[in-house]
Amino acid sequence: MKIRIKFEKTGVMKFIGHLDIMRYFQKAMRRAEIDIAYSEGFSPHQVMSFAAPLGVGLTSEGEYLDIEVGMCLSSADAINRLNAVMVDGMKVLTFKKLPDDSGNAMSIVAAADYRVMFREGSSLIPDVELEAKLAEFYNRNEIVILKKTKKSEKEVDIKPMVYSLSAKDGVISMQLATGSVNNLKPELLMEAFAAYLGKELGEFAIMVHRVDVYADLGDENNRELVSLGDLGEDIA
Amino acid sequence: MNKLALSDEILLSIEKPARYIGNEVNSVRKDLSEIDVRFAMCFPDVYEIGMSHLGIQILYDMFNRREDVWCERVYSPWVDLDRIMRERNIPLFALESQDPIKEFDFLGITIQYEMCYTNILQILELSQVPIFAKDRSESDPIVIGGGPCTYNPEPLAEFFDLFYIGEGETVYFELLDAYKENKKNGGSRRDFLEKAAHIPGIYVPSFYDVEYDADGMIVKFAPNNANAPEKIKKEIVMDITDTYYPKKPVVPFIKATQDRVVLEIQRGCIRGCRFCQAGMVYRPTRERNLEMLKEYAYDMLKNTGHEEISLSSLSSSDYSQLEKLVSFLIDEFRSKGVNISLPSLRIDAFSLDVMSKVQDVKRSSLTFAPEAGSQRLRDVINKGLTEENILEGAGQAFEGGWNRVKLYFMLGLPTETQEDMEGIAVLSDKIARRYYEIPKEQRNGKVQITASTSFFVPKPFTPFQWSRMNTREEFLGKARIVNAAMKEQLNRKSLKYNWHEADLTVLEGVLARGDRRVGAVIYDAYRRGSLYDSWSEFFDNRKWMAAFEATGVSIDFYNTRERSLDEILPWDFIDTGVTKEFLKQEWQKAVGESVTPNCRMSCSGCGAAIFGGGVCFEN
């Protein structure tokens, strides 16, 4: 049976990188005695896939991983068991059964919501002006950044990858293209905003929090974003 | 949410911030208002190495069972953070509470190998605790050392307030109680040290004076304080089944060197190899009960979520219940995707059968440690492994599909001749020849034999403690002889030879058998920037050589001089149970190429029977 787990990663856990979070969950499954499926071969490993790796330094309340299990537990039981073996800053939010034909978490990721705040002393602009300036920045026809690769630099318009952008009380909310097709990092957008203000974004100026991750069930012309957490159903 | 000692900005600009944030599974947090004694337990190397150490996990669990004690962990900051902490004057902190070490009651440092000595000074300095014990004030933590290197603590004597000689499970609580009592009575630091000196196994270096003669030899080593005993007897746990062992060891987020459950099946070794310090100082051999090990295997796997379990001991094949334990582990856990790792097994029919069940034969290699290239020299060192044993074991393994062999030897052993050195190449070739005796169609491709040599360092409390050690040039000359002999062998294309570098070995020699005067060299080398000396990328021999030069300490005095049997050795004040008389006998038997049977074959009267248990009383 395919299962999708939604979890949050907050506090000091933001310093743990993606590969170590994978190792963390492999061990957590064993501690919680979840009947997880193993691959074949001499050194079997757990069948587990993560939606969208979260960079070091970022927190999130909408992370996903898919596993495969044998014996059926109720969602509530599984959540309790897993949370009994979590560390501070890691919490399992949902445990849902997926349709058998559903794509794995990694392959369907299309967008993500983020909340961005300036660290104390690092803000680019007073909070009261932020909302208006950000709207001005976002309302332009294009947002061009200089993309540097090893060999060359080229101008890219990132606006098509920004699905929403707004600010309130000093907190910036954004929805960005995420995944293997198009991927935009919040830092990059904030750098473009800083450049627009004629400033430079300091290396540790912002704190980024991921709110949720989405799949796109629409077609080429119309996006229809659905939270990864809404694709399965609770097990009674 | 937990506070952190380091800012986000620092943590995001250094390698592996997970080394410094604590919060690991099974790490222990307590309410400070209920705590009387705060203990910071330190392994003076990087987190991934320190977290792999069993001893600290045992003591961490044991201390934290007490409600009035909070034991936390601290490791050496990596060089990137070391620089930042010095620049910004950030005090070193413990992982759990993130509080500065200097606020603790105790800083306990485990001393596992000589090349971590400069890291000990780093820990003290970054903690903002005076490096020299004599400079510490009433508010500084008591700095206590433990672990194998404390069987000769003298080079470190000036840096520590106390040393705990022997196994930690026995008198630590007594020591903590004495501390609490002294604190309650308003006693001073010195009052506490005087009380501690009465506890068995506790050595207070400042309570002893050493006198030397004009040649630099020790003429007197004696207490200068009425509370300090003449001799310190090592502490040892006689019942290692009914004692402390962690059911919930801490599980790091980042991959530690030992990323698995470690089950210590026995302590000590019956073999009596004459170069081996562990084999002498951990006597007598004591086994853990099989049922206890089964229970712990189950609980520890469940509580950690590790996917591998490893047996730990000096010589697992000598554990009397090994077959039953291994079958249990395979039957119980193999189907649950748990790997079983069995280091230090003698290669024989049983171990080959087990290995074929728990590992991929095609990917694994066989390991033998003959230690010396000829039977003559193996008799000198009392290594009971014969050429016949090796060829027999290798032959069976080759027929079972293995085709890779690793061989470990030492160069520079006492009485070594050119023939012994060349014997390393000859033995390697014989193993290759044994492989090619198998008909071609039944063979698994080519054989690959890798021989490695390390250079011999005489260690305290071994029969070789009086032996002269080779110089750097002698060592490298010997490695060249082996290398040349390898190239002359019939199967030279199947043989590979590696040797260690000699500079580090020379230093290890001085630190291992040094006295108090060597402390000045360690301090001077540290001031010149020596740190992480066990890491080849940081080890800088020139700094050490400059330190010897500046302090006027002679390497030859400690290394290449043969000590006379009546000389006072710096570590003579420690009583390990094994008598000096026995070590002398063994040294003389070694020179006479005569072997001593292992403890199960017959008792040789080493003295360890005084502890009243273990293998000494099996029959």
Side-chain angles (χ1 to χ4, degrees):
Chain A
M1 185 188 332
K2 283 186 184 173
I3 300 289
R4 177 159 298 154
I5 293 170
K6 179 179 184 181
F7 66 96
E8 63 175 37
K9 181 187 177 198
T10 57
V12 304
M13 292 305 291
K14 70 181 171 195
F15 297 109
I16 308 299
H18 177 65
L19 289 175
D20 293 322
I21 290 293
M22 290 170 65
R23 282 169 21 86
Y24 169 82
F25 268 105
Q26 284 160 11
K27 293 186 197 282
M29 294 296 164
R30 291 177 169 280
R31 289 194 298 273
E33 297 185 318
I34 300 292
D35 183 26
I36 191 166
Y38 283 82
S39 68
E40 302 289 313
F42 207 92
S43 319
H45 54 269
Q46 296 177 0
V47 179
M48 187 183 277
S49 95
F50 283 72
L54 192 68
V56 173
L58 278 66
T59 54
S60 174
E61 62 194 81
E63 294 301 292
Y64 296 92
L65 75 120
D66 291 357
I67 58 171
E68 230 176 287
V69 298
M71 194 183 70
C72 184
L73 275 173
S74 78
S75 294
D77 271 356
I79 292 169
N80 285 340
R81 273 207 208 178
L82 282 164
N83 282 335
V85 301
M86 291 287 122
V87 294
D88 272 8
M90 297 295 283
K91 191 175 171 194
V92 169
L93 304 171
T94 67
F95 185 97
K96 290 183 176 180
K97 179 183 190 306
L98 292 175
D100 287 340
D101 60 349
S102 66
N104 79 42
M106 171 92 83
S107 65
I108 58 172
V109 171
D113 283 343
Y114 295 94
R115 216 159 48 215
V116 175
M117 284 195 292
F118 292 102
R119 244 176 245 286
E120 226 175 282
S122 299
S123 79
L124 295 166
I125 178 172
D127 283 359
V128 286
E129 294 169 39
L130 179 63
E131 198 173 326
K133 274 287 177 199
L134 195 71
E136 198 181 293
F137 164 73
Y138 187 46
N139 286 337
R140 291 172 308 154
N141 288 333
E142 46 176 35
I143 302 174
V144 177
I145 61 155
L146 205 56
K147 202 172 179 181
K148 288 175 191 164
T149 62
K150 272 179 202 147
K151 284 178 189 158
S152 64
E153 292 184 350
K154 65 174 181 179
E155 293 194 331
V156 185
D157 177 16
I158 58 171
K159 188 161 182 199
M161 291 192 274
V162 184
Y163 301 157
S164 77
L165 181 64
S166 64
K168 203 179 173 200
D169 303 331
V171 180
I172 300 166
S173 298
M174 54 181 75
Q175 186 170 67
L176 307 179
T178 305
S180 49
V181 184
N182 284 308
N183 194 58
L184 182 62
K185 290 185 171 172
E187 295 83 347
L188 209 61
L189 181 60
M190 292 305 294
E191 278 169 22
F193 178 54
Y196 174 72
L197 297 174
K199 298 188 176 173
E200 201 169 318
L201 191 71
E203 201 183 346
F204 304 103
I206 54 169
M207 292 180 288
V208 182
H209 178 76
R210 185 141 75 187
V211 180
D212 206 356
V213 177
Y214 300 90
D216 186 357
L217 301 186
D219 54 33
E220 277 167 39
N221 303 317
N222 289 298
R223 272 198 308 273
E224 191 194 323
L225 296 180
V226 181
S227 165
L228 255 53
D230 289 339
L231 288 173
E233 27 182 275
D234 280 328
I235 311 162
Chain B
M1 193 44 76
N2 248 7
K3 59 162 182 148
L4 292 176
L6 302 171
S7 67
D8 282 16
E9 183 200 341
I10 293 175
L11 286 165
L12 291 173
S13 53
I14 55 177
E15 264 180 60
K16 302 192 183 175
R19 287 166 174 164
Y20 313 108
I21 63 171
N23 196 43
E24 303 97 323
V25 170
N26 299 334
S27 60
V28 176
R29 253 178 270 165
K30 293 193 177 186
D31 179 354
L32 258 188
S33 65
E34 290 162 16
I35 299 302
D36 294 324
V37 181
R38 300 190 73 180
F39 198 110
M41 188 67 83
C42 171
F43 191 111
D45 205 319
V46 77
Y47 178 88
E48 297 92 305
I49 304 280
M51 276 303 293
S52 304
H53 181 242
L54 176 64
I56 285 191
Q57 295 263 16
I58 293 175
L59 294 180
Y60 182 81
D61 173 74
M62 176 179 121
F63 283 18
N64 282 322
R65 288 191 202 187
R66 267 180 74 144
E67 284 180 1
D68 56 344
V69 176
W70 187 7
C71 178
E72 306 184 40
R73 294 159 299 139
V74 59
Y75 303 100
S76 287
W78 191 237
V79 291
D80 54 357
L81 181 60
D82 175 280
R83 201 176 49 241
I84 293 171
M85 292 177 82
R86 284 171 202 272
E87 275 167 17
R88 305 193 192 180
N89 204 30
I90 300 170
L92 185 61
F93 53 91
L95 295 182
E96 285 79 356
S97 65
Q98 302 271 312
D99 287 338
I101 300 297
K102 61 181 171 187
E103 293 172 8
F104 280 63
D105 297 294
F106 284 90
L107 169 58
I109 303 178
T110 182
I111 316 167
Q112 295 289 317
Y113 32 85
E114 289 81 5
M115 299 321 296
C116 75
Y117 288 2
T118 52
N119 279 54
I120 294 173
L121 304 195
Q122 175 215 28
I123 294 284
L124 292 170
E125 188 166 46
L126 291 181
S127 298
Q128 303 174 358
V129 171
I131 287 182
F132 291 98
K134 64 176 168 49
D135 299 332
R136 289 180 199 138
S137 69
E138 295 295 325
S139 65
D140 288 310
I142 302 287
V143 180
I144 179 166
C149 292
T150 61
Y151 283 99
N152 177 21
E154 290 302 274
L156 296 169
E158 289 180 281
F159 310 122
F160 283 83
D161 299 301
L162 300 173
F163 288 101
Y164 184 127
I165 315 290
E167 295 173 350
E169 291 98 330
T170 55
V171 298
Y172 249 124
F173 283 174
E174 208 177 314
L175 186 74
L176 299 183
D177 287 336
Y179 179 82
K180 261 178 79 170
E181 180 72 18
N182 186 59
K183 201 167 155 185
K184 202 174 77 190
N185 298 338
S188 68
R189 188 179 187 89
R190 190 178 170 86
D191 293 336
F192 168 65
L193 295 181
E194 289 186 345
K195 289 195 173 72
H198 287 280
I199 298 173
I202 300 294
Y203 169 52
V204 186
S206 60
F207 290 170
Y208 296 78
D209 288 328
V210 192
E211 287 170 30
Y212 308 92
D213 67 12
D215 297 329
M217 314 288 263
I218 298 175
V219 288
K220 195 175 170 207
F221 183 102
N224 60 30
N225 186 306
N227 295 284
E230 300 264 336
K231 282 236 168 196
I232 310 286
K233 192 168 181 187
K234 82 166 179 201
E235 277 301 302
I236 179 169
V237 186
M238 287 317 296
D239 179 353
I240 63 163
T241 295
D242 185 19
T243 183
Y244 300 96
Y245 201 74
K247 284 203 169 170
K248 298 175 91 177
V250 179
V251 184
F253 292 116
I254 52 175
K255 205 170 163 64
T257 313
Q258 189 87 258
D259 180 34
R260 51 186 74 86
V261 166
V262 178
L263 210 52
E264 188 193 37
I265 58 177
Q266 61 186 352
R267 279 197 194 155
C269 178
I270 59 170
R271 298 274 148 188
C273 298
R274 290 175 180 135
F275 55 85
C276 179
Q277 190 188 39
M280 293 293 161
V281 300
Y282 297 137
R283 285 181 173 215
T285 304
R286 292 144 290 155
E287 296 196 341
R288 281 206 158 102
N289 171 280
L290 177 65
E291 294 311 313
M292 176 241 181
L293 292 173
K294 287 179 179 175
E295 178 192 321
Y296 273 76
Y298 179 82
D299 288 349
M300 291 173 80
L301 283 166
K302 159 96 177 96
N303 291 332
T304 58
H306 281 311
E307 40 282 289
E308 185 166 332
I309 184 165
S310 173
L311 302 185
S312 163
S313 79
L314 292 169
S315 169
S316 298
S317 297
D318 293 326
Y319 178 60
S320 62
Q321 309 292 305
L322 187 71
E323 296 207 31
K324 284 182 193 145
L325 177 61
V326 170
S327 317
F328 168 81
L329 294 176
I330 292 175
D331 296 346
E332 196 73 12
F333 301 116
R334 192 70 189 124
S335 61
K336 295 175 186 159
V338 175
N339 290 319
I340 296 159
S341 123
L342 304 165
S344 75
L345 274 194
R346 220 177 13 255
I347 305 295
D348 56 21
F350 164 71
S351 61
L352 288 171
D353 176 54
V354 168
M355 281 159 64
S356 66
K357 284 181 191 150
V358 301
Q359 52 188 234
D360 190 348
V361 172
K362 284 201 191 80
R363 285 203 212 155
S364 62
S365 58
L366 296 169
T367 304
F368 294 95
E371 308 293 1
S374 69
Q375 195 55 50
R376 187 200 72 78
L377 193 52
R378 283 193 293 273
D379 288 347
V380 169
I381 63 176
N382 205 40
K383 180 85 194 183
L385 192 64
T386 64
E387 184 173 303
E388 212 182 340
N389 297 150
I390 296 169
L391 291 177
E392 172 69 26
Q396 286 178 23
F398 293 153
E399 271 148 22
W402 273 273
N403 65 351
R404 276 192 282 176
V405 179
K406 283 190 212 155
L407 299 169
Y408 291 101
F409 297 94
M410 275 186 277
L411 285 174
L413 288 162
T415 78
E416 185 182 46
T417 64
Q418 175 138 356
E419 205 181 331
D420 299 320
M421 300 171 219
E422 288 166 352
I424 292 173
V426 173
L427 178 60
S428 305
D429 187 62
K430 279 185 184 161
I431 297 171
R433 288 179 191 221
R434 176 66 186 79
Y435 181 82
Y436 292 112
E437 281 171 17
I438 299 173
K440 196 169 183 179
E441 57 283 3
Q442 291 165 32
R443 293 201 297 250
N444 184 11
K446 279 190 171 168
V447 72
Q448 192 188 89
I449 293 167
T450 308
S452 303
T453 57
S454 60
F455 296 122
F456 170 63
V457 178
K459 293 278 168 106
F461 292 108
T462 66
F464 292 165
Q465 65 180 356
W466 293 279
S467 169
R468 84 175 281 278
M469 184 174 146
N470 284 162
T471 62
R472 177 183 184 278
E473 289 67 32
E474 284 169 330
F475 278 136
L476 295 175
K478 290 179 174 186
R480 277 193 294 275
I481 289 172
V482 177
N483 199 33
M486 285 281 179
K487 296 207 162 82
E488 284 165 16
Q489 302 303 315
L490 175 69
N491 295 296
R492 56 191 170 272
K493 286 187 176 153
S494 302
L495 310 181
K496 206 176 151 218
Y497 174 55
N498 303 316
W499 63 95
H500 285 205
E501 57 115 1
D503 290 333
L504 209 64
T505 309
V506 168
L507 262 180
E508 203 187 316
V510 176
L511 299 178
R513 290 193 295 173
D515 53 37
R516 290 194 176 187
R517 293 167 294 185
V518 171
V521 184
I522 300 167
Y523 182 74
D524 193 90
Y526 173 70
R527 280 285 164 249
R528 288 170 199 274
S530 288
L531 193 63
Y532 283 107
D533 292 307
S534 60
W535 294 71
S536 57
E537 64 264 52
F538 297 116
F539 174 66
D540 183 352
N541 197 47
R542 288 167 308 179
K543 288 183 181 131
W544 279 95
M545 291 306 118
F548 279 106
E549 182 87 42
T551 54
V553 171
S554 153
I555 293 178
D556 285 339
F557 178 81
Y558 296 101
N559 280 3
T560 54
R561 184 170 66 87
E562 180 156 331
R563 287 150 170 84
S564 77
L565 290 179
D566 53 11
E567 180 175 339
I568 299 175
L569 302 171
W571 51 90
D572 275 350
F573 70 95
I574 295 174
D575 174 7
T576 68
V578 174
T579 62
K580 198 168 183 182
E581 218 32 62
F582 174 75
L583 296 177
K584 281 181 189 168
Q585 257 174 47
E586 281 292 293
W587 176 221
Q588 279 149 357
K589 280 175 86 177
V591 177
E593 301 172 14
S594 155
V595 299
T596 297
N598 76 47
C599 299
R600 283 220 171 91
M601 288 161 68
S602 78
C603 174
S604 301
C606 73
I610 196 161
F611 294 109
V615 68
C616 310
F617 293 86
E618 255 175 23
N619 299 316

